[in-house]
Amino acid sequence: MNKINKIRFYIILLFPIIFYGQYTDQINSNRPGETMSAFSVGKSVFQVETGVYGIHENHDLLKYENNGFGVDMTLRWGLFKERLEVIANLQYQNQQQTSRFSKEQQSGFKQTVLGVKYLIYDPFFNYKRKINLYSWKANRAFNWHQLIPAVSVFAGANLSFSDNPYSFSPESSVSPKIMLITQNHFGDGKWVFVTNIIANYITTEFPSHGYVLTLTRGFNDKWSGFIENQGYKSNFYSDAIIRGGAAYLINENFQIDASVSNSLKNTPSILYGGLGLSWRFDGNYKEVRVKIDKDDDKKK
């Protein structure tokens, strides 16, 4: 082995190649944040992300208070293509609303969304960072390619049921929801920044527009943490929410998480915390492997 080949060998050991694709060796969950990631779970992969939460809501002007709990669940299925994902998002909440003169028990589906997500641009597809055989400093320099985000779009439908206390209308209805999703990876994947730009209930009398910004940090092979800012505005309700939490990887297909959220407004002020888990079934996934002939590699 000549000197150049030796240098190349040691650089490869120092800088492992990171591949960003749809399917990952470890489960890639959207929990415990509220953003939707740009990448899908992978073709033929099925994933469940669910949790329970408690909520306290207080309105200073209208003088009412809500206390309750809820269950949310997201079902994700990679279908037909690596870039395509079918999504069902469900949220059920039960609460007691207390005002000056009354108490009312309320329950129902706060959110029911069915839709599909498609990755339209992957900056890491067919991309390989060039290694400088003569400069350690050049190889450690900031990779400007990381500033190019992966881009996905989501299109779905909100299903609102009749006599639902969380619905804008007493009658059943269907309204569209669309979303633009971007995702960046920084620092060899330790930092992930995801943005969602959302248009919701578009055809109703109360269309809503919003955003979610999430920054996630992987601390080691098991632990990760995140901070998040969510805002939405409509004629019915507007607010901004700060959220934070952590997730722990039990094994390649199972993750648990915890989070806490707080609104910036007091009309109403909202505080809630939750616990959740994510589970993945990838038994039908067929991984593509590249076989390298050792003899040919030695010749090179």
Side-chain angles (χ1 to χ4, degrees), residues 219-281:
F219 301 112
N220 52 46
D221 292 340
K222 296 293 185 180
W223 285 99
S224 64
F226 84 101
I227 55 173
E228 186 173 272
N229 173 230
Q230 180 179 8
Y232 38 89
K233 181 177 179 60
S234 72
N235 294 331
F236 182 76
Y237 178 65
S238 300
D239 205 348
I241 294 176
I242 301 297
R243 187 176 292 111
Y248 181 77
L249 188 70
I250 301 295
N251 57 45
E252 292 181 351
N253 296 314
F254 189 72
Q255 171 192 290
I256 57 175
D257 62 73
S259 64
V260 63
S261 307
N262 192 29
S263 66
L264 298 182
K265 296 176 62 176
N266 58 3
T267 54
S269 63
I270 303 174
L271 174 66
Y272 59 95
L275 299 172
L277 58 89
S278 302
W279 172 78
R280 177 179 73 174
F281 175 75

Side-chain angles (χ1 to χ4, degrees), residues 58-289:
N58 185 69
H59 202 295
D60 287 349
L61 295 180
L62 300 181
K63 303 299 181 182
Y64 74 78
E65 182 178 282
N66 289 332
N67 291 285
F69 66 92
V71 179
D72 57 73
M73 176 179 291
T74 300
L75 306 177
R76 303 171 62 187
W77 184 22
L79 192 64
F80 302 130
K81 295 182 178 182
E82 282 285 313
R83 294 170 175 259
L84 183 67
E85 182 177 286
V86 177
I87 301 171
N89 184 257
L90 311 172
Q91 183 182 10
Y92 181 88
Q93 186 167 305
N94 184 298
Q95 65 184 25
Q96 184 179 76
Q97 185 174 96
T98 304
S99 62
R100 290 179 177 178
F101 307 107
S102 66
K103 286 186 177 182
E104 181 182 0
Q105 197 71 29
Q106 299 175 336
S107 62
F109 280 95
K110 195 170 184 179
Q111 182 171 266
T112 304
V113 180
L114 304 177
V116 294
K117 179 180 69 178
Y118 187 77
L119 179 70
I120 59 177
Y121 178 71
D122 180 0
F124 296 99
F125 183 73
N126 287 334
Y127 168 77
K128 183 178 179 181
R129 185 177 182 181
K130 294 182 180 180
I131 298 174
N132 189 323
L133 300 178
Y134 304 99
S135 174
W136 181 88
K137 183 178 180 181
N139 289 311
R140 301 298 294 178
F142 182 79
N143 182 8
W144 292 97
H145 189 81
Q146 297 178 88
L147 297 178
I148 304 174
V151 180
S152 289
V153 290
F154 171 86
N158 288 285
L159 308 180
S160 299
F161 304 102
S162 60
D163 300 322
N164 188 333
Y166 307 110
S167 177
F168 299 128
S169 171
E171 299 179 354
S172 299
S173 63
V174 178
S175 59
K177 177 179 182 178
I178 58 175
M179 188 186 309
L180 176 66
I181 306 164
T182 67
Q183 182 168 333
N184 293 86
H185 294 255
F186 302 105
D188 291 337
K190 293 181 180 180
W191 294 91
V192 180
F193 181 61
V194 181
T195 69
N196 289 179
I197 307 299
I198 308 164
N200 208 358
Y201 305 106
I202 300 172
T203 59
T204 69
E205 296 180 3
F206 300 97
S208 175
H209 301 87
Y211 67 89
V212 193
L213 309 175
T214 305
L215 182 64
T216 302
R217 172 69 158 88
F219 301 112
N220 52 46
D221 292 340
K222 296 293 185 180
W223 285 99
S224 64
F226 84 101
I227 55 173
E228 186 173 272
N229 173 230
Q230 180 179 8
Y232 38 89
K233 181 177 179 60
S234 72
N235 294 331
F236 182 76
Y237 178 65
S238 300
D239 205 348
I241 294 176
I242 301 297
R243 187 176 292 111
Y248 181 77
L249 188 70
I250 301 295
N251 57 45
E252 292 181 351
N253 296 314
F254 189 72
Q255 171 192 290
I256 57 175
D257 62 73
S259 64
V260 63
S261 307
N262 192 29
S263 66
L264 298 182
K265 296 176 62 176
N266 58 3
T267 54
S269 63
I270 303 174
L271 174 66
Y272 59 95
L275 299 172
L277 58 89
S278 302
W279 172 78
R280 177 179 73 174
F281 175 75
D282 60 354
N284 296 324
Y285 184 78
K286 296 181 180 179
E287 186 177 8
V288 178
R289 295 180 180 272

